[in-house]
Amino acid sequence: MAQYDALQTGAISGARAAEIDQGLRAHMNKVYGTMSVGMLITFAAAWAISGLAVTTDAGLAAAQLPNGTFLTDMGVALYASPLRWVLMFAPLIFVFGFSAMINKMSAATAQIVFYAFAAVMGISISSIFLVFTGTSIAQTFLVTSIAFAGLSLWGYTTKKDLSGMGTFLIMGVIGLIVAMVVNLFLQSGPLAMAISALGVLIFAGLTAYDTQSIKTEYIQHAVHADSEWLGKSAIMGALRLYLDFINMFMFLLQFLGNRE
């Protein structure tokens, strides 16, 4: 935090401070821009896949859901076969692999991999269009966008050091994952609601924390003129905020979404 504090208090002054500040704004614009493109890819993929999974012709249907929705062969493969477990955990495996390999990638390759991950995530969450009404999905997306913007702005502008939250929040994420896996077998409604409530709170905190962390890391590397790192850091920053947004959206959808 030393370089961040120095910039905030004016210890780094003159042309150098102005250069870092201008670079920071460009860096954050790239982070948010890359994240936004990823979000568009995710929801386009989710909508397209859900459309291919459903048919209105009962004669062509391979199966029918309890709500009356007819599934195509593709829909059965995605949502009613063992492949659904692969799709469920594929984004998590993708994230770990991407994080481990990004140092060996060029910035251009990392960006392509990020967009590929966004498409995989879209396929993984495509079932929301079968479970929830389109209107409630849109409303939840709007609520999430407003909350995310406010939390990220606060994380960017606050003078408070949020670094102490990191370990606590990551432990919370690990606990959420364990609880979600357990509830796959228990199928407990109250536990699912508790998981969703905690998920919203944890990823709300991570949104502010990650935003400040991205800002701080940029300043630290810009001071040392680490141009190679700066080329890929925007992609990783976009990935972090993308995951915060997607998870907050999915947990909020459990509360705000109207089921079909």
Side-chain angles (χ1 to χ4, degrees):
M1 294 293 291
Q3 290 86 355
Y4 173 68
D5 293 337
L7 188 66
Q8 291 291 85
T9 59
I12 299 175
S13 58
R16 183 58 178 153
E19 180 184 347
I20 292 176
D21 189 57
Q22 182 179 3
L24 175 61
R25 288 196 296 270
H27 181 74
M28 295 304 296
N29 285 338
K30 184 174 182 180
V31 168
Y32 289 123
T34 303
M35 172 198 160
S36 298
V37 173
M39 294 298 305
L40 289 174
I41 291 173
T42 294
F43 283 99
W47 179 80
I49 291 297
S50 65
L52 293 173
V54 175
T55 180
T56 56
D57 190 339
L60 299 176
Q64 185 176 5
L65 296 176
N67 64 3
T69 300
F70 295 107
L71 294 180
T72 63
D73 288 331
M74 181 178 182
V76 172
L78 290 176
Y79 309 129
S81 77
L83 181 60
R84 73 182 188 275
W85 298 105
V86 176
L87 292 177
M88 184 181 299
F89 292 104
L92 187 63
I93 296 170
F94 211 121
V95 166
F96 287 134
F98 185 29
S99 299
M101 297 296 294
I102 190 169
N103 289 331
K104 300 179 181 180
M105 302 177 186
S106 66
T109 300
Q111 188 165 21
I112 292 171
V113 173
F114 170 69
Y115 291 149
F117 164 73
V120 170
M121 179 64 82
I123 297 172
S124 180
I125 68 171
S126 60
S127 60
I128 64 173
F129 288 98
L130 280 66
V131 177
F132 300 97
T133 63
T135 299
S136 67
I137 291 173
Q139 290 172 341
T140 304
F141 183 85
L142 178 60
V143 170
T144 307
S145 298
I146 294 171
F148 177 88
L151 289 162
S152 189
L153 179 62
W154 180 72
Y156 185 84
T157 58
T158 184
K159 300 296 193 296
K160 182 178 180 180
D161 182 3
L162 304 180
S163 59
M165 297 170 54
T167 301
F168 174 77
L169 291 170
I170 295 302
M171 289 176 61
V173 171
I174 294 172
L176 274 180
I177 293 173
V178 172
M180 290 169 68
V181 171
V182 169
N183 204 39
L184 286 175
F185 301 98
L186 297 180
Q187 295 294 309
S188 168
L191 179 57
M193 287 295 101
I195 290 171
S196 296
L198 288 173
V200 171
L201 294 175
I202 288 172
F203 285 100
L206 277 171
T207 298
Y209 167 79
D210 283 335
T211 301
Q212 186 182 86
S213 180
I214 293 166
K215 177 182 179 180
T216 303
E217 289 170 2
Y218 174 85
I219 294 171
Q220 290 172 342
H221 287 81
V223 167
H224 294 105
D226 191 351
S227 58
E228 181 179 353
W229 180 89
L230 293 174
K232 291 181 281 190
S233 63
I235 308 300
M236 285 305 296
L239 175 63
R240 291 166 68 178
L241 293 180
Y242 167 94
L243 290 172
D244 294 339
F245 186 102
I246 283 289
N247 281 286
M248 191 157 53
F249 166 78
M250 293 297 292
F251 285 123
L252 276 173
L253 193 59
Q254 302 302 313
F255 291 107
L256 305 179
N258 292 324
R259 297 179 182 272
E260 293 280 9

